[in-house]
Amino acid sequence: MTRARRSAAPDGHPAGVGRRLLRVAQKHVDDAAARGELPRRDLRRLPGLRVRVDPEFCEAVARHFAAAPRRQLGPELAARYHRFTEETLRHFALLVRAGVRVAPWPGPGQPYLGAADLIDRLTRTGVLYVYLTRSGHGPGAPDPDHPLCAPSGVTVDGCPLLHNDVFRAVHDAFGHVMLGASMGVRGEFLAAYGHLAMYSPQVHPVIFTEQVSQICWFFYGPHLVDRTGRLPRRGEPGWIHPTERPYPEQKLLPCPPGYLDRFTASFSEEAG
């Protein structure tokens, strides 16, 4: 999960730097499709897509993630993560091409209050602050055995970035800013769905684990249910504000069969 989520912003079509990112991303997809590496996709159809959130599915994903062992890294999954980090570095280079300057966040707490704040400040300054993995990464410090906690080879302002830091920047730019996606459940789902269009199908299960599974745990995890086994809604006794919730553990596990299909079925190409 890229960071603990705060206030949400309405999902909608991008403006300013979002349009610039969209042009760069579309060229990337078109070029990769010409080489046979990605399916052809019109990214302009992504912002504002209708997202149907199925609480039962989200709770099932959260329960599976919570019950899964911390590490299930076999050769196939290791290869997926290796390719994921390679492709993420290419996407990071696209940010530079789009005129975005990435910088480590120097202050305490989170750099942005939510998606609206992120988009506004990036549009005004051209700087995308990254909340470093070492500052917040699930329960405890980053696990050096996790592929995303390895050094990426990218150094910004004298600060070496981990692969997870690089993905945090990519996620915020090509997920939230480019798509105008909120940091609530629907916006996070939209951001993850947008990533599927820019990453090769081989790494889609990684995106499901690193984004969808973790966001489902964050909003629907069994640690949030009350004594009756019910998930309290906002304003009800026992409801925990997102800023007070723990980070999900960054586990290594394969995507369960059928889960990706159920996730992609949550989206309608008809904008809503």
Side-chain angles (χ1 to χ4, degrees):
M1 186 178 178
T2 56
R3 64 165 62 88
R5 295 307 180 188
R6 297 188 175 220
S7 58
D11 299 323
H13 293 274
V17 68
R19 286 197 296 267
R20 223 164 48 238
L21 289 166
L22 187 59
R23 287 195 296 269
V24 170
Q26 186 66 64
K27 186 177 188 308
H28 166 76
V29 170
D30 291 344
D31 291 346
R35 297 190 299 267
E37 298 173 358
L38 289 178
R40 294 190 180 277
R41 192 71 184 272
D42 184 355
L43 301 184
R44 293 171 300 179
R45 298 178 63 87
L46 294 177
L49 280 184
R50 180 170 297 150
V51 185
R52 184 180 64 86
V53 176
D54 180 355
E56 291 186 4
F57 173 62
C58 293
E59 290 174 21
V61 172
R63 287 194 301 269
H64 178 271
F65 183 81
R70 292 184 67 249
R71 295 290 180 267
Q72 300 179 56
L73 187 64
E76 180 181 344
L77 188 57
R80 292 185 191 277
Y81 268 90
H82 179 70
R83 180 157 182 173
F84 176 74
T85 57
E86 288 184 332
E87 294 187 26
T88 300
L89 286 170
R90 293 178 204 154
H91 297 174
F92 188 85
L94 295 177
L95 297 182
V96 178
R97 193 176 307 168
V100 174
R101 186 174 80 83
V102 175
W105 174 241
Q110 302 291 337
Y112 303 108
L113 297 176
D117 185 36
L118 163 64
I119 294 169
D120 174 65
R121 288 168 59 188
L122 177 58
T123 299
R124 288 189 290 106
T125 68
V127 178
L128 174 63
Y129 285 108
V130 177
Y131 182 64
L132 296 176
T133 302
R134 70 188 186 203
S135 300
H137 183 84
D143 187 342
D145 293 333
H146 194 291
L148 296 190
C149 292
S152 68
V154 175
T155 299
V156 178
D157 295 345
C159 177
L161 301 185
L162 304 181
H163 283 295
N164 199 61
D165 299 324
V166 173
F167 181 57
R168 286 181 173 185
V170 166
H171 172 77
D172 279 352
F174 292 111
H176 294 290
V177 178
M178 185 179 81
L179 302 182
S182 75
M183 291 181 178
V185 179
R186 283 182 171 81
E188 294 290 358
F189 271 27
L190 179 60
Y193 187 70
H195 289 322
L196 299 185
M198 294 184 65
Y199 282 91
S200 64
Q202 179 184 349
V203 304
H204 287 184
V206 173
I207 294 170
F208 187 91
T209 296
E210 294 295 326
Q211 284 295 298
V212 182
S213 290
Q214 293 188 34
I215 207 66
C216 285
W217 184 91
F218 186 77
F219 283 101
Y220 294 90
H223 61 296
L224 299 174
V225 300
D226 60 22
R227 294 179 180 178
T228 68
R230 179 176 172 274
L231 194 68
R233 297 181 178 179
R234 180 186 291 268
E236 294 181 343
W239 182 79
I240 302 174
H241 194 278
T243 58
E244 300 174 357
R245 297 178 188 180
Y247 285 87
E249 187 175 6
Q250 195 155 13
K251 296 184 175 183
L252 280 167
L253 65 152
C255 177
Y259 273 37
L260 258 176
D261 289 339
R262 289 186 66 181
F263 172 68
T264 56
S266 303
F267 299 84
S268 170
E269 290 291 342
E270 178 187 355

